[in-house]
Amino acid sequence: MKNLLTRKSIRKYSKREVSDELLSRLLNEAARTQTMGNLQLYSVVITRDAKMKQQLAPAHFNQPMVTEAPVVLTVCADFNRTTRWCEERNAQPGYDNLLSYQNAVTDALLYTQTLCNLLDEEGLGYCFLGTTVYQPQAIIDILQLPKLVMPVATLTVGWPDEEPSLSDRLPLESFIHNETYKDYTAQDIDTYYINKEELTENQEFVRINQKETLAQVFTDIRYTKKDNESMSEGLLQALKHQGFL
């Protein structure tokens, strides 16, 4: 197994096939992960067809790996299957609500992380696309997701064709709180973020974007208030459309 301390996101893939047999085995093994009530509140849509990947690409801001990866996996929070089971067994489901969505999201993300670990073990490369929740309705329409099914994670998967450098991480003490949450002082922030801010590539981000600090790159360009509010509204509308709100 690869050491998690050396785990890397892979965005470039070779032409080598990812067989159905291998993928099915890993998807099945991942199902041994934790799940609420042993209900497995998730589904996975496998996309191999080039035209389907082209349709999905705009929902992921046309990131090249969506069309170039051999396989795209869309992991969904799914209370539809459980609801149908209940209805077919003379039980009255009550899962069209926010709590049920949260439980299904938790299940889906736990499954996704376990699958990522298994992909690492096999030597496969993958990239987790955070864009899945930015334009969920587009993905819902393309993949024909029914009520009570929401896309929450996307993985592009294939055999690696690159060896990227490790991305930085904050130190352990920056996110561990003993007994109770201890809020951060200005000095704490200086201590925990100094290494990130002094990285050459991050200083270059600041320079080319004509900003004063790395934080401004995030607030003014990468994840703006305007974009966050707009995409939040889209997420709420999608949740209503899918019956969770």
Side-chain angles (χ1 to χ4, degrees):
M1 179 178 179
K2 289 185 177 179
N3 189 328
L4 282 174
L5 294 176
T6 61
R7 192 212 65 81
K8 303 172 182 177
S9 292
I10 300 297
R11 295 173 173 84
K12 295 181 180 180
Y13 307 96
S14 74
K15 300 297 184 181
R16 180 182 171 189
E17 178 188 8
V18 178
S19 70
D20 288 334
E21 293 77 12
L22 173 59
L23 184 60
S24 293
R25 175 170 64 81
L26 298 178
L27 290 168
N28 188 55
E29 288 177 6
R32 297 307 307 172
T33 198
Q34 307 94 315
T35 170
M36 193 200 81
N38 202 29
L39 290 173
Q40 296 178 250
L41 304 172
Y42 49 80
S43 284
V44 183
V45 180
I46 302 171
T47 303
R48 289 183 179 271
D49 182 76
K51 291 182 179 179
M52 286 295 292
K53 287 188 282 189
Q54 289 172 356
Q55 290 184 51
L56 284 171
H60 296 289
F61 300 122
N62 291 307
Q63 296 177 87
M65 55 272 198
V66 176
T67 54
E68 294 173 0
V71 180
V72 176
L73 303 176
T74 305
V75 185
C76 302
D78 186 350
F79 243 119
N80 173 61
R81 184 181 61 252
T82 301
T83 294
R84 290 296 308 276
W85 173 57
C86 292
E87 292 171 343
E88 295 293 333
R89 297 296 183 269
N90 197 31
Q92 297 299 314
Y95 307 124
D96 54 346
N97 46 65
L98 185 59
L99 179 63
S100 297
Y101 172 68
Q102 181 62 44
N103 285 331
V105 168
T106 301
D107 261 25
L109 292 179
L110 284 169
Y111 179 87
T112 302
Q113 183 56 63
T114 299
L115 179 60
C116 286
N117 292 342
L118 293 171
L119 293 170
D120 277 325
E121 288 185 0
E122 288 294 330
L124 282 159
Y126 60 89
C127 185
F128 182 101
L129 305 185
T131 46
T132 307
V133 296
Y134 291 172
Q135 300 182 73
Q137 191 59 55
I139 299 172
I140 290 167
D141 294 341
I142 294 166
L143 300 183
Q144 302 178 26
L145 304 182
K147 298 285 187 181
L148 299 184
V149 181
M150 276 288 291
V152 296
T154 300
L155 298 175
T156 57
V157 180
W159 299 102
D161 193 31
E162 66 171 343
E163 187 61 42
S165 59
L166 284 174
S167 54
D168 65 283
R169 291 292 186 267
L170 294 173
L172 179 67
E173 58 269 24
S174 71
F175 56 86
I176 295 300
H177 302 260
N178 290 310
E179 309 302 340
T180 60
Y181 190 104
K182 179 180 178 294
D183 207 353
Y184 301 94
T185 65
Q187 183 177 354
D188 290 335
I189 297 300
D190 289 343
T191 299
Y192 299 149
Y193 282 86
I194 185 65
N195 289 336
K196 178 185 288 288
E197 292 171 336
E198 289 187 344
L199 287 172
T200 301
E201 58 266 35
N202 286 339
Q203 291 183 346
E204 180 65 6
F205 287 151
V206 175
R207 186 191 68 79
I208 64 177
N209 287 291
Q210 300 180 331
K211 295 298 177 181
E212 297 177 1
T213 68
L214 181 62
Q216 289 177 354
V217 175
F218 283 84
T219 60
D220 300 354
I221 298 174
R222 296 194 64 185
Y223 307 107
T224 69
K225 178 180 176 64
K226 178 181 178 181
D227 288 344
N228 288 337
E229 290 177 345
S230 174
M231 289 185 287
S232 292
E233 182 60 30
L235 178 60
L236 286 171
Q237 291 303 318
L239 284 170
K240 291 177 182 177
H241 184 272
Q242 294 305 99
F244 282 110
L245 292 179

